[in-house]
């Protein structure tokens, strides 16, 4: 949706806002109340329709849903006791599919209901389609903010929040739209994939080739062959279940150690040691390196290869010499690498406070992504805008509600007061919120992540951050068709 920040239909919006308090107080009228399905039909008129809130918010908020002009479904929640500020949410993934998933933003609202509990209005987009496209997702996130403003008025403060790949999306929102007056006041990035696309998936590139070296079943010798940077050949009908069966066949990863053959155990040990991927997320990383790589290469880059591993030396196996001699090697197509970088890499030019929260033991978006992000902002001269916090948790998908509430409050206080918090002061404030949510406070305020290259083997030029400078972004933006199409 391309509506301006200010309402374009002032009389209608004024009437809506004037009657909003009574709607919030009285609840939804039966004639307006609808499911997500019938809300979609109403949303085609351009206005959000009332829907049931998640159970947790049923008595404390009013919820709406709709579909914007670009086809992206969205969900909105407004607390009965609204503090006047807004959280704009960017979801992770990316989910794969041709169309927007109407349930995604509703599910995310339920997952981060703590933000509404804390008095913030909330809006999240499901994005206009599945598949990779960071700038597309950022545009849809910005559209969701504008739609909220057009319906409910300009919030007192607006914060963009992103989780996982959504952290990259939210950071892209901050860089792309953050300088617009009154758009955003700060960013909260949690469990973020902050190394960007051109470097952030190198360890999955390594997994793809190392796995095939040991397992020889993805593809099998009897099947059509294809370069591994494709992830999966375009016409393949392999499913996630089929991939899981091949992984089990080669490594016995789903079986106990006593049930694995000696060959399976050695394959598993070598793959884990070389790639440094945790055993419990081996399957999910291989799925990404299969199905999402296919989406990036085949669907988004027209079959061009954005990945490379030429010159990388793999270590940690029982025979590194044989591994390095036999593993598949390839070099990125410069235009494909450029387009992926333009789409998803970060320049570090954020104009306002950014607070991050990351579990030290995150098995999916490794905590070293935070080191890459700090180096990115340092390279752009914006490190003063960044405060990073870390917890001893070992999860990626969701951290403690107490910590989410703490993070949002710390960011809000920073924005309002102009006083930069420290990791220690953020951690010290968590106990207040934990008395309400009981999720626990697991901060380690002395932790500093190791450099990104300490975990992910760098490619040529991969030690300098940002991966895409502001000057490169500006120059590339003038190239017709650059990046990934929406």
């Amino acid at each position: 949706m391309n509506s301006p920040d200010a309402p374009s239909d002032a009389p209608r919006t004024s009437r809506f806002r004037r009657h909003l308090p009574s709607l919030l107080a009285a609840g939804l009228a039966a004639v307006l109340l609808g499911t997500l399905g019938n809300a979609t039909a109403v949303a085609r008129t351009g206005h959000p329709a009332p829907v049931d809130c998640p159970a947790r918010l049923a008595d404390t908020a009013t919820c709406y849903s709709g579909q914007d002009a670009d086809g992206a479904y969205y969900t909105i929640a407004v607390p009965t006791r609204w503090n006047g500020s807004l959280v704009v949410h960017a979801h992770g993934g990316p989910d794969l599919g041709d169309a927007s998933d109407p349930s995604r933003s509703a599910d995310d609202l339920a997952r981060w209901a703590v933000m509404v509990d804390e008095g913030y209005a909330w809006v999240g987009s499901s994005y206009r389609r599945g598949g990779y496209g960071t700038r597309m997702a950022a545009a849809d996130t910005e559209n969701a903010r504008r739609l909220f403003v057009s319906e409910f008025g300009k919030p007192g403060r607006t914060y963009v929040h992103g989780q996982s790949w959504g952290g990259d999306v939210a950071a892209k929102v901050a860089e792309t739209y953050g300088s617009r007056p009154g758009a955003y006041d700060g960013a909260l990035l949690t469990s973020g994939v902050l190394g960007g696309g051109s470097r952030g998936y190198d360890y999955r590139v390594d997994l793809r080739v190392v796995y095939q070296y040991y397992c020889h079943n993805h593809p099998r010798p009897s099947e059509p062959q294809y370069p591994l940077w494709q992830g999966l050949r375009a016409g393949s009908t392999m499913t996630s279940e089929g991939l899981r069966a091949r992984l089990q066949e080669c490594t016995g990863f789903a079986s106990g150690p006593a049930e694995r053959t000696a060959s399976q155990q050695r394959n598993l040990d070598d793959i884990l040691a070389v790639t440094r991927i945790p055993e419990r997320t081996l399957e999910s990383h291989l799925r990404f390196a299969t199905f999402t790589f296919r989406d990036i290469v085949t669907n988004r880059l027209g079959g061009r290869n954005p990945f490379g591993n030429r010159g990388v030396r793999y270590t940690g196996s029982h025979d590194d010499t044989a591994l390095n001699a036999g593993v598949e090697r390839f070099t990125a197509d410069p235009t494909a690498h450029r387009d992926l970088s333009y789409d998803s890499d970060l320049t570090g030019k954020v104009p306002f406070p950014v607070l991050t929260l990351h579990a030290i033991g995150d098995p999916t978006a490794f905590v070293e992504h935070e080191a890459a992000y700090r180096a990115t902002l340092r390279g752009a001269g914006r490190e003063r805008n960044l405060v990073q916090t870390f917890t001893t948790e070992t999860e990626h998908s969701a951290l403690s509600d107490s910590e989410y509430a703490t993070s949002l409050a710390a960011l809000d206080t920073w924005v309002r007061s102009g006083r930069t918090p420290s990791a220690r002061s953020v951690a010290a404030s968590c106990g207040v919120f934990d008395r309400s949510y009981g999720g626990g406070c697991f901060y380690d305020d002395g932790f500093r992540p190791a450099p990104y290259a300490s975990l992910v083997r760098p490619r040529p030029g991969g030690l300098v951050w940002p991966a895409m400078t502001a000057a490169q972004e500006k120059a590339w933006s003038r190239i017709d068709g650059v990046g990934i199409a929406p």
Side-chain angles (χ1 to χ4, degrees), residues 354-412:
V354 179
L355 182 71
T356 72
L357 172 67
H358 215 121
I360 296 168
D362 188 328
T364 300
F366 304 137
V367 73
E368 286 79 6
H369 275 275
E370 296 290 341
Y373 192 57
R374 178 167 289 281
T376 296
L377 267 67
R378 183 184 302 123
R382 302 295 177 93
E383 190 176 8
R384 66 186 180 280
N385 289 341
L386 178 65
V387 171
Q388 294 175 301
T389 63
F390 303 94
T391 72
T392 57
E393 290 158 294
T394 57
E395 297 301 322
H396 170 70
S397 297
L399 305 178
S400 161
D401 271 1
S402 303
E403 293 163 356
Y404 284 119
T406 298
S407 299
L408 194 51
L411 178 62
D412 185 59

Side-chain angles (χ1 to χ4, degrees), residues 49-297:
V51 295
D52 290 318
C53 287
R56 174 170 169 176
L57 301 174
D59 298 324
T60 58
T62 306
C63 297
Y64 307 84
S65 184
Q67 190 175 20
D68 72 17
D70 291 318
Y73 289 96
Y74 60 85
T75 300
I76 294 170
V78 182
T80 303
R81 297 182 178 180
W82 182 21
N83 64 14
S85 292
L86 172 68
V87 172
V88 183
H89 175 75
H91 77 69
D95 302 331
L96 301 181
D98 294 331
S100 182
D101 177 2
S103 67
R104 179 60 197 249
S105 58
D107 292 344
D108 282 344
L109 172 58
R111 188 173 172 189
W112 281 283
V114 61
M115 297 180 176
V116 183
D117 289 338
E118 285 299 300
Y120 292 84
W122 188 98
V123 61
S125 172
S126 293
Y127 310 149
R128 70 191 71 181
R129 61 159 172 78
Y132 206 85
T134 306
R135 286 183 182 270
M136 173 204 71
D140 291 341
T141 301
E142 164 65 358
N143 287 345
R145 182 196 68 82
R146 293 185 181 195
L147 188 144
F148 182 95
V149 170
S150 72
E151 295 294 329
F152 299 96
K154 188 178 183 301
R157 299 286 188 280
T158 300
Y159 303 115
V160 61
H161 167 239
Q163 173 91 8
S164 189
W165 177 58
D168 188 38
V169 174
K172 185 68 76 174
V173 168
E175 294 182 0
T176 305
Y177 306 104
S179 296
R180 296 181 180 181
Y184 298 91
D185 299 281
L188 174 61
L189 312 179
T190 58
S191 307
V193 180
L194 301 175
S198 74
R199 299 178 188 174
Y201 307 128
D202 281 345
Y203 64 97
R204 287 168 170 159
V205 173
D206 295 338
L207 170 62
R208 189 67 183 85
V209 299
V210 169
Y211 175 87
Q212 183 65 2
Y213 171 80
Y214 288 111
C215 298
H216 307 291
N217 68 2
H218 186 24
R220 302 183 190 280
S222 59
E223 294 174 327
Q225 302 297 294
Y226 54 87
L228 298 180
W229 49 261
Q230 289 183 356
L232 187 65
R233 64 183 178 87
S236 175
T237 58
M238 177 186 285
T239 63
S240 294
E241 291 74 18
L243 179 62
R244 177 181 175 85
R246 295 187 188 214
L247 179 59
Q248 171 68 9
E249 171 191 291
C250 176
T251 68
F253 83 106
S255 304
E259 299 172 324
R260 296 171 188 149
T261 67
S263 175
Q264 286 176 328
Q265 188 64 61
R266 190 171 76 167
N267 288 340
L268 182 60
D269 289 344
D270 278 344
I271 291 169
L272 296 177
V274 173
T275 63
R276 306 161 185 171
I277 289 173
E279 183 174 344
R280 66 190 173 109
T281 52
L282 177 61
E283 181 187 5
S284 64
H285 286 296
L286 188 59
R287 279 202 308 270
F288 193 104
T290 299
F291 301 108
T292 306
F293 275 17
R294 176 171 66 177
D295 176 72
I296 292 172
V297 170

